[in-house]
Amino acid sequence: MELQDTPEEWQVVATTTPFQGKKTSVRTDDVVMPDGTVARRDYQVHPGSVAVLALDDQDRVLLLKQYRHPVRQKLWEIPAGLLDVPGENPLHAAQRELYEEAHVKAEDWRVLADVYTTPGGCDEAVRIFLARHLSEAEGERFEVSDEEADMEVARVPLADLVRGVLAGELHNNCLVVGVLSLTAARAADGVDALRPADAPWPARPFEA
């Protein structure tokens, strides 16, 4: 058995877009099932995202606490953002998000994990990076607005985050995946064995 996800596309006999938003939309596809019947599937169409687990030299992770209206909670998260430009290099997008949300830059970048956040109802793909050797970014801080204007910023020891995830106290998808992936990488072949920052990403192909 080959333990690897594989591309496959079932026949779509009809498709509509009942909702078109600013960044995402909802699509309805009529899909032919293996037995020949047709089933309707509704899902969110998403441009994709990047997230950054930024780790400082004291083994602390840079976190943001931000209000998320759909779940009616303020969540501790790692810096993240949309892939606004089709074909955009995800590393460039991640560097931009780290600068805009935390005014921080990093010298060493690796890929921690590539995930589909909710594959049963959304096609969002997220690449989670590990960023190390952090320093303050040059120039003026990026001007934030809306929910981001109320963000808290903190640096929290990685070990505390692992405990928080396993205790059910931290729920953000990218934070959970990033923290546990880093912990697993350290226990296996080490961080230096992680994929390079420009590793191919079939879910969201990009230009170098």
Side-chain angles (χ1 to χ4, degrees):
M1 181 182 67
E2 184 180 15
L3 193 61
Q4 181 176 341
D5 298 335
T6 54
E8 186 164 349
E9 188 167 351
W10 292 0
Q11 182 184 4
V12 175
V13 295
T15 185
T16 60
T17 304
F19 171 79
Q20 179 67 57
K22 182 179 179 181
K23 297 291 186 180
T24 67
S25 62
V26 172
R27 182 176 297 163
T28 298
D29 288 344
D30 291 340
V31 186
V32 179
M33 297 290 109
D35 63 359
T37 61
V38 175
R40 180 157 289 178
R41 296 290 179 260
D42 303 314
Y43 58 100
Q44 182 185 20
V45 178
H46 194 285
S49 306
V50 292
V52 185
L53 194 150
L55 188 71
D56 69 14
D57 58 5
Q58 298 179 52
D59 215 38
R60 300 177 303 176
V61 177
L62 192 155
L63 297 183
L64 311 168
K65 194 173 190 180
Q66 184 171 348
Y67 176 65
R68 294 301 187 183
H69 187 70
V71 296
R72 306 303 199 272
Q73 291 191 37
K74 273 192 168 182
L75 301 180
W76 283 110
E77 306 178 351
I78 56 178
L82 297 176
L83 289 168
D84 293 312
V85 181
E88 181 178 18
N89 187 310
L91 174 59
H92 299 165
Q95 292 170 332
R96 180 186 67 237
E97 292 300 330
L98 186 59
Y99 163 74
E100 291 182 356
E101 295 190 343
H103 202 67
V104 166
K105 63 180 181 179
E107 296 301 322
D108 185 80
W109 292 81
R110 313 276 172 145
V111 175
L112 267 178
D114 297 327
V115 297
Y116 291 114
T117 55
T118 319
C122 180
D123 71 350
E124 180 184 13
V126 182
R127 169 157 281 189
I128 304 173
F129 289 92
L130 172 65
R132 297 184 296 170
H133 308 313
L134 309 182
S135 60
E136 191 81 1
E138 295 89 0
E140 296 183 2
R141 286 186 172 271
F142 182 79
E143 186 175 345
V144 297
S145 60
D146 299 327
E147 289 91 344
E148 293 182 352
D150 188 51
M151 284 193 309
E152 301 175 47
V153 181
R155 296 195 183 198
V156 180
L158 178 65
D160 291 350
L161 296 179
V162 173
R163 284 192 290 269
V165 168
L166 298 180
E169 299 166 350
L170 300 169
H171 307 91
N172 174 261
N173 181 292
C174 293
L175 170 63
V176 171
V177 173
V179 164
L180 298 185
S181 294
L182 176 57
T183 303
R186 286 178 164 180
D189 297 327
V191 171
D192 290 337
L194 290 169
R195 287 173 293 160
D198 60 354
W201 189 17
R204 292 294 185 274
F206 60 91
E207 301 173 2

